[in-house]
Amino acid sequence: MVDIGAGGLGQGEIFGLAVDNIGDLGWIYVRQQVKKVRGTLVFAPPKRDRLHDVPLDPEVSAALRDHMERFPPVDVTLPWLTPTGPKITHRLVFASGIGAAIWSQAFNDQAWKPALASTGIIPFPKQGSGTRPPANTECTPYVTSPPPCCWTLRRTSRP
């Protein structure tokens, strides 16, 4: 996921990446994202309805192929745009452990922020906050978002 994000995709676009959005010649065609609307995950167009194509570095293409071999894509059905919208099915490259679309808040709390904290980018949470830091570490609360450098790194390569 990090490799794809470094290539210019936003988090919702990564979670909505379908097999059909990956071109044979090293391109990703961003056509949808996964987002939450009134408590329900939905497929929706990318932010600002900005359909776009993102070139993939050959190493990222190889990592994506390896990921899909280790973790086969999963058919996920969600409503389009609103919780009551028509149901759409995409074969998603990234899915939860139960084969569902990934909810960004759960991913951030359970995977992304602990990874950032383990590398020292953000501090670990306080003890008793519901998230366990590794033993023998100084505990401070997670910040709500990574420092500006992370945002810059993620977005500078976007066309």
Side-chain angles (χ1 to χ4, degrees):
M1 281 187 196
V2 172
D3 293 333
I4 300 296
L9 272 67
Q11 191 178 56
E13 294 168 347
I14 294 169
F15 296 157
L17 179 62
V19 173
D20 293 345
N21 301 131
I22 302 169
D24 292 335
L25 302 174
W27 286 82
I28 289 180
Y29 310 113
V30 180
R31 301 297 180 259
Q32 72 276 334
Q33 66 173 325
V34 171
K35 69 180 197 174
K36 197 168 197 178
V37 174
R38 296 188 306 275
T40 301
L41 292 179
V42 301
F43 287 122
K47 193 173 187 177
R48 293 186 208 79
D49 294 324
R50 186 173 174 258
L51 306 182
H52 55 282
D53 302 338
V54 178
L56 287 179
D57 185 88
E59 288 84 14
V60 175
S61 290
L64 188 57
R65 275 192 307 276
D66 290 345
H67 171 82
M68 290 191 299
E69 287 174 11
R70 289 186 61 210
F71 305 97
V74 177
D75 285 332
V76 173
T77 302
L78 295 174
W80 180 254
L81 283 178
T82 68
T84 59
K87 303 285 189 209
I88 305 287
T89 300
H90 287 290
R91 191 161 192 74
L92 297 183
V93 174
F94 302 105
S96 72
I98 59 169
I102 298 172
W103 177 36
S104 62
Q105 185 174 344
F107 175 81
N108 290 339
D109 291 345
Q110 297 169 12
W112 187 239
K113 287 182 180 181
L116 292 175
S118 71
T119 61
I121 294 174
I122 63 172
F124 283 104
K126 290 181 183 176
Q127 287 185 341
S129 66
T131 305
R132 299 184 84 181
N136 303 322
T137 60
E138 183 176 335
C139 301
T140 56
Y142 281 134
V143 293
T144 56
S145 62
C149 66
C150 292
W151 179 257
T152 302
L153 286 173
R154 193 178 83 174
R155 292 295 179 179
T156 53
S157 62
R158 184 171 245 189

